[in-house]
Amino acid sequence: MPPVRELTLVGFSLFSMGAKNLYLQTFGCQMNVYDSERICQLLAARNYRLVEDPSEADLIFLNTCSVRVKPEQKVYSALGRFQALKKKKPTLVIGIGGCLAQQEGGKFLQRFPYLDFVLGTKEFGRINEVLDDLEVLGKRGLAISLDGRIDPYASLPFPPSSSKATAFVSIMQGCDNFCSFCIVPYVRGREVSRPSRDILEEIRTLAAQRVKEVTLLGQNVNSYGNKTPGEIGFTGLLEAIQEIQGIERIRFTTSHPKDLSRALIDSFGRLSKLCEHIHLPLQSGSNRLLKRMNRGYSGEEYLERVDGLREACPEISVTSDVIVGFPGEEEADFQSTLDLVERVQFDDLFSFKYSDRPYTRAAEFHDKIPEDVSRRRLRELQALQRGITLKRNKLWEGKEVEVLVEGQSKANAEENMGRTRTNHIVNFPGKSDPHGTLVWLRIEKAFAHSLRGERRS
Ligand code: SF4
């Protein structure tokens, strides 16, 4: 499961001609960011332009996440704030999409009478149809079908567009794994792979727009194409992207350890454009809990995969997700997680406290862990990982690395920020490198969350 974050999309390049204002807030994973970009394209055709201030908006759209309790709570508090705006400006349209919209469906319209429409995870392509119904018939919209035959991207009237050097590309939707803590199969449906023909065409279009790096998205990219007779598998897809001129870097997320094949491991040593980074969610180091989570691998098997990756590609960086306080987690289970984290030496780790999610099996487990115990375990795990991350980052000091410039440094407007192939953030002096430039830097100093580079002399 990719890390959860929140962002507001502003300044999307298609919006210079707009007559109406759109405020779009995206919660959750990269899949939602990708969907939000496509929603922006659809609304650009309706003359909407993005604004940063919700009080200027004619349309507010929230693309939501329900993978954990926290992003869900943020959506409810945002809705409360926007209700106040609608009282002042009754023509304001408020819509909601994404996983929480799929989860709650029509209940959202009942509970929030000021909400105008709800779009499920496979239905965002119908946003203009729903807005037509609202404008012409005054009808509040609800579109939440999870029909496995729907490819939400196939029906979009526009090719993807990016003004940046990096782009996300969805290669599949949904998941068949039913990990006992996870809501994704219920809100994104069963796993459906997009045709490789469409994906490759999309990436060629992006390459023509000078995109240099693509990140392939899916809940479990390792099983790409497995359910479609005659379709190329995931390594076949990577090989085909390797041949696309203009694309310099390929990334993907997320990989399920149980489906990480030998062929994919070997691809890291074989495909020059495949970046040396893998996000491989561990979730727990306890075999008892991994079984209860329905993860389909043991701690030993996880380690074997990581060892195989490092053998195939010694410089690979490995990041992961861990849940603490899963129902029934005893001190010994938690210690097994600490031991495995210590043994693997992740470059970075996204760790979370377990929270009950509707429909999931774990929500029915009775042996929940008290909040204070989960909190203490999270602190302990994060302290351990902080030390490991800094130690791993220090290994980069003195090395020369290729960095793709992504823009201004957040900490210092006089500096650039970019990423190494291993996905480390590097800040370095200079404002002259336009985004999308590949530069070679020498790493002078490592910090907990970033590296500092200087131009190679
Ligand atoms: S693999 Fe498990 S955790 Fe990941 S999306 Fe599927 S059910 Fe959720």
Side-chain angles (χ1 to χ4, degrees), residues 6-122:
E6 175 191 346
L7 63 99
T8 304
L9 285 171
V10 291
F12 199 71
S13 63
L14 287 168
F15 283 86
S16 53
M17 303 297 287
K20 292 186 192 168
N21 291 341
L22 164 69
Y23 179 80
L24 192 154
Q25 195 166 2
T26 305
F27 299 84
C29 64
Q30 293 96 329
M31 191 71 86
N32 269 9
V33 175
Y34 177 79
D35 289 350
S36 286
E37 285 169 356
R38 304 311 299 270
I39 288 165
C40 282
Q41 278 185 292
L42 291 167
L43 291 173
R46 215 181 175 87
N47 275 347
Y48 277 97
R49 68 181 180 100
L50 276 167
V51 290
E52 289 184 49
D53 180 354
S55 68
E56 291 174 9
D58 300 296
L59 167 61
I60 291 178
F61 187 75
L62 300 179
N63 199 2
T64 64
C65 171
S66 62
V67 81
R68 274 178 272 280
V69 161
K70 222 169 163 183
E72 187 173 311
Q73 286 165 343
K74 285 183 180 177
V75 172
Y76 288 116
S77 60
L79 278 173
R81 286 197 304 279
F82 299 146
Q83 179 184 21
L85 288 180
K86 189 150 180 163
K87 275 188 187 146
K88 284 191 212 149
K89 185 178 178 183
T91 56
L92 172 65
V93 175
I94 304 178
I96 188 161
C99 293
L100 186 58
Q102 186 71 48
Q103 177 190 308
E104 296 299 308
K107 282 189 256 167
F108 253 131
L109 292 178
Q110 283 164 11
R111 186 170 161 194
F112 302 101
Y114 55 90
L115 194 61
D116 295 291
F117 65 93
V118 176
L119 286 180
T121 50
K122 288 197 165 193

Side-chain angles (χ1 to χ4, degrees), residues 288-289 292 325-330 333 354 356 361-370 377:
R288 193 178 71 83
L289 287 196
R292 235 177 163 212
F326 184 77
E329 185 185 64
E330 293 174 5
D333 297 308
Y354 167 84
D356 276 344
R361 270 184 35 222
E364 287 163 21
F365 293 164
H366 293 297
D367 42 1
K368 299 279 157 44
I369 304 301
R377 288 178 184 166

Side-chain angles (χ1 to χ4, degrees), residues 169-199:
V169 176
S170 167
I171 64 165
M172 61 207 298
Q173 277 257 335
C175 185
D176 289 347
N177 285 312
F178 291 91
C179 300
S180 63
F181 54 83
C182 183
I183 195 172
V184 165
Y186 306 95
V187 292
R188 290 235 170 222
R190 301 294 178 275
E191 185 181 291
V192 184
S193 297
R194 292 179 67 198
S196 54
R197 187 190 57 238
D198 293 0
I199 296 167

Side-chain angles (χ1 to χ4, degrees), residues 209-251:
Q209 295 165 18
R210 307 219 306 230
V211 166
K212 287 212 169 77
E213 176 184 298
V214 287
T215 302
L216 312 179
L217 301 178
Q219 263 75 37
N220 178 17
V221 293
N222 299 353
S223 56
Y224 172 80
N226 286 357
K227 284 164 66 178
T228 320
E231 185 53 278
I232 53 177
F234 187 54
T235 47
L237 185 66
L238 293 174
E239 283 161 12
I241 300 168
Q242 165 88 17
E243 298 306 317
I244 297 180
Q245 235 185 344
I247 297 298
E248 308 272 356
R249 292 176 166 198
I250 309 166
R251 301 185 187 278

Side-chain angles (χ1 to χ4, degrees), residues 282 302 318-320 341 344-349 385 388 392:
L282 167 65
Y302 184 92
V318 183
T319 57
S320 194
V341 166
V344 174
Q345 297 280 298
F346 292 111
D347 289 80
D348 208 352
L349 185 68
Q385 183 57 44
I388 295 172
R392 300 273 309 162

Side-chain angles (χ1 to χ4, degrees), residues 263-274:
L264 180 54
I265 290 175
D266 290 341
S267 300
F268 280 100
R270 202 164 52 79
L271 298 178
S272 61
K273 293 181 180 177
L274 184 57

Side-chain angles (χ1 to χ4, degrees), residues 403 416-420 424-428 441 443 451-453:
V403 169
N416 280 320
M417 185 282 277
R419 262 170 222 272
T420 64
H424 288 84
I425 291 176
V426 186
N427 295 305
F428 61 100
L441 302 173
I443 300 303
L451 306 174
R452 178 164 183 79

